[in-house]
């Protein structure tokens, strides 16, 4: 017999390999299930933490912020103005009659005392002659009463006349002198009226209007005959808003621009400034003087006056919409380094329209909440977002400031917080 052992059956060998593979597949599947469960648990934890973070973030209020910056002590303001003559008058007749001639017309320059026109009034000449004749009559009566009184006083010294008769003579002499004074006054009045028939220029200037022709019937104190303006220097009258009024002083130089002369600037000076503000418009009246030796600038011309101002007040500039008004006064909401807000009382300076000055209560660089909500609480944590610089100047995200005019300029006013 042979000693060689025969190989095992093929079926049992194949079954063992299959069983081993099945075990490995089962262990792999269990491993995959365990790994999938672990990953799901990790993902669930991450989602839970993310949800918790989103929930916490949603409870933090987002706010828009802006930084308080130091105000510029030097600034300028431009105001419209109309050129006027230093003196502008309408010449009218003091004496009536017919215009016989005019000697000056529009555009002509005149000197003080130059003859503008002449008027004839024959009836006034006759009245003057009549008054002079009446004066001569009264003079004769004065001479007679004076001589008569001398004789009666001599007789009275001799006790030749009654006392009553002497008093009557004295009274007659006094009445005659009074009548003479009245007649002489009437003569002087008529002589002055005759002089008024010569219309003369009251000052050096230029004729801006002539409203009469030869032969016109002129009534005393009636219509305008001529209009005169003194053109060197010219005068400008402005009304300065209260916010700038304290920075205006006599002698201060200003710049004038005329639209018809682009690129050219004229220099004027503050001649007079009112000592008080108009209580209705809250403005201060200012008069400027502008030299005009060549007479090229005409009265009535429109221009723009620019004042270069310098303020001694050290203040911070902030948009007007950061202010909160309430029972506690005017406040702003500041954001700290830890993103918590606090309410600070402030003292306001000048209201510049879109921006307002704060002179006390915060420091330069303070981060302020723009348009703070009524729901903000002191110490609350917020999520700040800085506004772009254009929002400070009235761009998107900023409340538009109320425009101001010279007629409606008012002292600094606080604004209520917007609701949001």
């Amino acid at each position: 017999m042979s000693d060689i052992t025969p190989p095992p059956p093929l079926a049992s060998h194949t079954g063992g390999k299959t069983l081993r593979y099945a075990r490995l597949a089962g262990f792999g599947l269990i491993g995959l299930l365990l790994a999938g469960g672990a990953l799901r648990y990790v993902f669930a934890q991450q989602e839970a933490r993310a949800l918790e973070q989103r929930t916490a973030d949603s409870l933090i209020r987002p706010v828009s912020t802006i930084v308080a910056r130091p105000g510029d002590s030097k600034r300028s303001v431009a105001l419209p103005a109309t050129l006027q003559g230093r003196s502008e008058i309408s010449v009218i007749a003091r004496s009536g009659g017919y215009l016989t001639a005019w000697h000056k017309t529009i555009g002509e320059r005149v000197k003080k005392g130059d003859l503008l026109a002449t008027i004839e009034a024959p009836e006034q000449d006759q009245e003057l002659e009549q008054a002079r004749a009446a004066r001569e009559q009264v003079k004769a009566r004065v001479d007679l009463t004076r001589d008569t009184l001398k004789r009666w006083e001599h007789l009275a010294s001799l006790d030749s006349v009654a006392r009553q008769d002497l008093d009557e003579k004295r009274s007659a002499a006094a009445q005659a002198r009074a009548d003479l004074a009245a007649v002489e006054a009437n003569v002087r009045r008529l002589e002055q009226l005759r002089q008024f028939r010569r219309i003369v220029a009251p000052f050096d200037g230029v004729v801006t209007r002539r409203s009469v022709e030869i032969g016109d019937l002129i009534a005393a104190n009636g219509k305008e005959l001529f209009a005169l303006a003194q053109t060197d220097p010219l005068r400008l009258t402005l009304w300065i808003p209260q916010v700038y009024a304290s920075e205006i002083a006599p002698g201060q130089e200003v710049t004038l621009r005329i639209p018809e002369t682009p690129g050219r600037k004229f220099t004027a000076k503050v001649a007079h400034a009112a000592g008080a503000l108009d209580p209705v418009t809250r403005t201060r009246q200012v008069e400027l003087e502008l030299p005009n030796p060549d007479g090229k600038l005409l009265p009535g011309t429109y221009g723009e006056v620019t004042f270069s101002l310098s303020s001694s007040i050290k203040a911070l500039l902030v948009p007007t919409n950061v202010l909160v008004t309430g029972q506690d006064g005017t406040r702003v909401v500041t954001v700290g380094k830890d993103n918590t807000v606090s309410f600070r009382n402030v003292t306001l300076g000048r209201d510049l329209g879109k921006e307002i000055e704060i002179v006390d209560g915060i420091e330069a660089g303070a981060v302020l909440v723009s348009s703070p909500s009524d729901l903000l609480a002191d110490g609350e944590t917020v999520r700040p977002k800085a506004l772009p610089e254009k929002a400070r100047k009235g761009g998107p995200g900023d409340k538009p400031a109320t425009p101001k005019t010279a007629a409606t300029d008012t002292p600094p006013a606080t604004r209520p917080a917007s609701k949001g």
Side-chain angles (χ1 to χ4, degrees):
M1 297 207 41
S2 174
D3 294 333
I4 298 174
T5 305
L10 182 59
S12 62
H13 178 72
T14 303
K17 291 179 66 177
T18 301
L19 181 60
R20 187 167 60 253
Y21 289 151
R23 288 196 187 107
L24 292 174
F27 289 141
L29 180 60
I30 292 172
L32 288 175
L33 291 176
L34 292 175
L39 289 175
R40 182 168 183 176
Y41 176 77
V42 171
F43 289 151
Q45 290 295 322
Q46 290 180 348
E47 289 180 358
R49 285 194 297 269
L51 178 61
E52 182 180 356
Q53 183 64 36
R54 287 196 299 270
T55 303
D57 292 342
S58 66
L59 296 178
I60 299 177
R61 194 185 313 278
V63 294
S64 300
T65 61
I66 202 158
V67 178
R69 62 180 177 84
D72 188 1
S73 60
K74 293 184 178 180
R75 52 201 173 95
S76 62
V77 57
L79 297 173
T82 300
L83 301 184
Q84 299 173 312
R86 184 178 184 181
S87 297
E88 294 184 352
I89 63 165
S90 295
V91 180
I92 61 175
R94 180 63 181 84
S95 177
Y98 289 92
L99 191 77
T100 58
W102 53 262
H103 306 280
K104 300 292 182 180
T105 188
I106 56 174
E108 292 191 43
R109 295 195 172 274
V110 296
K111 297 292 185 180
K112 182 178 180 180
D114 283 355
L115 184 63
L116 302 178
T118 53
I119 298 174
E120 289 295 334
E123 66 277 8
Q124 287 184 3
D125 293 336
Q126 298 302 321
E127 289 180 11
L128 179 57
E129 292 301 325
Q130 183 180 2
R132 287 172 175 173
R135 180 178 62 182
E136 296 302 321
Q137 291 177 349
V138 175
K139 281 184 177 180
R141 185 155 54 91
V142 168
D143 293 339
L144 177 60
T145 55
R146 184 180 64 246
D147 295 340
T148 301
L149 179 58
K150 288 181 179 180
R151 290 192 294 268
W152 279 79
E153 286 179 343
H154 177 67
L155 293 174
S157 64
L158 302 175
D159 284 336
S160 299
V161 294
R163 193 73 177 177
Q164 177 66 29
D165 294 337
L166 178 60
D167 292 340
E168 289 177 356
K169 300 304 179 182
R170 288 175 175 170
S171 177
Q175 288 180 0
R177 291 193 298 270
D179 291 341
L180 178 60
V183 171
E184 287 180 341
N186 188 42
V187 170
R188 289 193 298 270
R189 180 182 67 84
L190 293 173
E191 289 175 344
Q192 288 179 348
L193 284 178
R194 186 174 64 176
Q195 293 177 359
F196 287 144
R197 287 183 290 179
R198 298 181 74 256
I199 310 300
V200 298
F203 52 74
D204 297 351
V206 63
V207 179
T208 58
R209 286 192 303 272
R210 179 179 61 83
S211 308
V212 290
E213 295 293 342
I214 296 175
D216 285 351
L217 177 61
I218 308 301
N221 303 319
K223 69 175 184 178
E224 175 190 279
L225 306 183
F226 297 88
L228 269 67
Q230 188 177 14
T231 59
D232 185 27
L234 291 173
R235 175 171 56 93
L236 299 91
T237 301
L238 299 174
W239 295 88
I240 308 298
Q242 176 180 333
V243 65
Y244 309 112
S246 62
E247 301 175 30
I248 305 298
Q252 181 176 351
E253 291 190 351
V254 300
T255 302
L256 172 68
R257 293 181 176 86
I258 305 296
E260 290 73 23
T261 57
R264 184 178 178 185
K265 298 180 181 179
F266 302 91
T267 301
K269 286 187 177 182
V270 178
H272 306 284
L277 298 181
D278 186 322
V280 177
T281 61
R282 307 297 182 191
T283 55
R284 185 183 186 187
Q285 185 178 9
V286 173
E287 284 191 357
L288 310 178
E289 283 191 355
L290 175 65
N292 187 32
D294 54 6
K296 292 185 177 180
L297 295 177
L298 302 178
T301 302
Y302 169 83
E304 187 178 78
V305 177
T306 302
F307 290 83
S308 297
L309 307 176
S310 179
S311 175
S312 60
I313 301 176
K314 295 182 179 180
L316 302 178
L317 287 181
V318 298
T320 55
N321 61 358
V322 303
L323 302 180
V324 179
T325 305
Q327 296 180 350
D328 298 328
T330 303
R331 300 186 295 173
V332 295
V333 182
T334 62
V335 180
K337 294 182 178 180
D338 55 354
N339 290 342
T340 60
V341 298
S342 61
F343 287 76
R344 304 275 293 274
N345 287 82
V346 294
T347 302
L348 301 182
R350 296 168 298 180
D351 190 340
L352 304 179
K354 294 180 181 179
E355 293 184 312
I356 195 167
E357 290 181 341
I358 294 182
V359 297
D360 189 29
I362 58 174
E363 300 77 24
V367 180
L368 307 178
V369 177
S370 176
S371 302
S373 169
D374 291 342
L375 302 179
L376 276 176
D378 201 356
E380 179 180 347
T381 301
V382 296
R383 186 167 65 253
K385 180 181 179 181
L387 286 175
E389 182 63 23
K390 63 180 180 180
R392 183 184 198 103
K393 301 178 181 178
D398 193 13
K399 284 186 178 180
T402 304
K404 307 173 80 64
T405 64
T408 59
D409 192 26
T410 56
T414 55
R415 276 76 170 172
S418 61
K419 294 182 178 180

